[in-house]
Amino acid sequence: MNRLFAALIATTALTGTACAQDLEIDELTFGFIKLTDMAPLAIAYERGYFEDEGLYVTLEAQANWRVLLDGVISGTLQGAHMLAGQPLAATIGYGTEAHIVTPFSMDLNGNGITVSNEVWEMMLPSLPLMENGLPQHPISASALVPVVEDFRDQGRRFDMGMVYPVSTHNYELRYWLAAGGLNPGLYSPEDSSGQIGADVFLSVTPPPQMPATLEAGTISGYCVGEPWNQAAVQRGIGVPVITDYEIWPNNPEKVFGLRADFVEDYPNTTRAIVRALIRAAIWLDADDNANRMEAVEILSRPTYVGADAAVIAASMTGTFEYAPGDVRDVPDFNVFFRYNATYPYYSDAIWYLTQMRRWGQIAEAHPDQWYTDVAASVYRPDIYLDAARSLVDEGLANAADFPWDTDGFREPVNTLIDAVPYDGRTPNAYIDSFSIGLTGEQQLVDGAVQG
C-alpha cells in the first residue's frame, strides 16, 4: 500500500516530458561509498526527485571501490557514485574490462591530503609563515622532501594511502608530490603496485579506514575525500596540508556510472535518473549553499556517510580546518552544480587518461585522437543535455545554467599547482611537459624506463 500511495503521488506530480517517458525499468539499486560527494544521490532520494521521475531507488553503501565497480558490471547495481577513473579504466581494459559510461559528473573538488602529526612537525621548519604565524597556503610538497630523506636515513619507507589505483586521489597525490620534486612511482604491465622507482610509496586504503590506518602508523599520510581529512583533525591524529582545490581549482571529481548496455536498453530510465540528479545538484548549490546544513544532517545519518555532522560541516559549509583552530574560508571546497560541475566534459576525462599514461597505467603512447575517442565513448554529454533541456522546458531548471554550445572541452587552464597549462585537445603535449613520469614513446621494460 505504501508503494502504491507513493506511486500515485509521483504520478500526480509528473507533467509533460517526465510523464511521457514510459520508463523501461523503474526499480533500481545504486551503490555509493561513504563520502560527502555522494550527496546528489542522497538528496535526490530524500527530496523525492527520484520518485518525481517514477523511479523506486534503493541506495546501498559499498565496502570499497572494487566491490562497487563489480556490482555495476555484474548488474547487482544498476548505477553508482564512481571514481571518475573507473569508467575510463574499465572501458580501456585496465584492471577489469567493461564498457561503463557516465552521463553525469557529480561534483568538483572535495579532497585533501593529510599527514601524521609526526610528519607535520617535521615539515613545519620548511614552511613560509604568514604574519599571523600560520602556514602560508598552498603548501608545496617540496616541504616534504627533507622529511622523506630523513625517513630514508632512518631506514624507514615513506608510505601514503590513496583510495584506489584509478582514483582522483591517486592522481592528485601523485601530481602534488611530483610538483614538489618527489617521485610517486610508476606502474608497468608486470607490476601493478605503482611503486617502481618511488620516493614515496602509495598504496590503497578504503576511505573510512584512512584515519585509523594513519593513527596506527601504517601510513604517514593520505589523500581522501571528506569527511576523512576533517576526521583526522577532530581526532587529533593528523593535519590536512592541502586541498585539491589548491592543487587544481575546480577540478573534476566523482561521476555517476552505468553500464553502456543499460543506457542503450533503457534510455528513458537513464534520462529520468539524470534529471533527478541534476535537480539534486541544483538544490545543493542553491542560494549560495543555503541548503548545505540540511544536506549535512542528511549525510550524517548512518544510511549515508555516518560521520558526525560537525565533521561533515567543517568542509561542506564553505570552510576547511587545516589544523586545530586553523579554519579558513574555502567556499568552493564542495561544488555540486556551479561552474557546470554536472556536465560530463571530454576534457575532464582526458585529464585522467593523461595521468594514467604519465604513471604507466597506459603502457604505450597513443595519438591525441585516441584520447578524444576514449573520452567520447565514456562521457555522454548528449544524454545530459537532453535531460537538462527537458527540465528547462518544465520550468525546473534555468537554461542559462547549462553549456548548450560547448564542444565538450573546457577552455585551457594554467591554474594547477605547478602552473603547467592543461588543454584537453592536446594531451600528448601536456604529458610531455612533465619532468617526472613517462613521456613521448617511453615504456617500462623489466622495471626500467626505455625510449
Side-chain angles (χ1 to χ4, degrees), residues 134-354:
L134 294 175
Q136 181 177 312
H137 280 258
I139 292 175
S140 169
S142 60
L144 196 61
V145 172
V147 181
V148 172
E149 292 174 347
D150 194 12
F151 268 54
R152 188 181 298 126
D153 291 343
Q154 297 176 39
R156 299 167 63 190
R157 204 172 83 156
F158 197 91
D159 292 293
M160 297 188 77
M162 48 80 183
V163 308
Y164 200 68
V166 295
S167 66
T168 316
H169 318 77
N170 186 21
Y171 304 130
E172 288 172 347
L173 181 53
R174 287 171 174 274
Y175 204 100
W176 180 68
L177 291 168
L182 290 166
N183 191 332
L186 297 170
Y187 296 84
S188 77
E190 298 78 30
D191 185 346
S192 61
S193 71
Q195 298 175 351
I196 299 170
D199 297 320
V200 177
F201 296 80
L202 309 186
S203 58
V204 171
T205 302
Q209 297 175 24
M210 289 286 194
T213 308
L214 183 72
E215 189 171 21
T218 306
I219 54 177
S220 295
Y222 56 70
C223 183
V224 73
E226 285 305 313
W228 307 116
N229 297 288
Q230 294 299 288
V233 177
Q234 185 196 52
R235 292 167 60 171
I237 60 172
V239 175
V241 293
I242 192 167
T243 67
D244 60 345
Y245 182 84
E246 295 168 297
I247 297 172
W248 179 10
N250 296 327
N251 64 90
E253 236 303 291
K254 305 294 192 308
V255 298
F256 187 77
L258 310 102
R259 282 193 343 210
D261 60 348
F262 179 96
V263 170
E264 292 168 5
D265 293 343
Y266 310 127
N268 294 337
T269 298
T270 300
R271 181 194 197 198
I273 294 167
V274 176
R275 281 168 51 93
L277 291 174
I278 291 174
R279 292 183 67 191
I282 292 172
W283 183 88
L284 280 160
D285 279 9
D287 302 322
D288 294 325
N289 296 351
N291 298 319
R292 289 297 179 88
M293 282 308 300
E294 183 178 345
V296 165
E297 187 280 321
I298 291 170
L299 292 174
S300 69
R301 300 172 190 171
T303 309
Y304 300 120
V305 180
D308 187 86
V311 174
I312 297 175
S315 63
M316 199 172 178
T317 55
T319 61
F320 191 86
E321 188 169 12
Y322 289 91
D326 186 2
V327 179
R328 309 191 189 196
D329 290 333
V330 189
D332 285 338
F333 180 81
N334 280 121
V335 173
F336 294 99
F337 189 68
R338 294 188 297 278
Y339 317 129
N340 297 318
T342 53
Y343 183 93
Y345 281 96
Y346 298 144
S347 49
D348 291 351
I350 290 170
W351 187 83
Y352 287 102
L353 293 168
T354 66

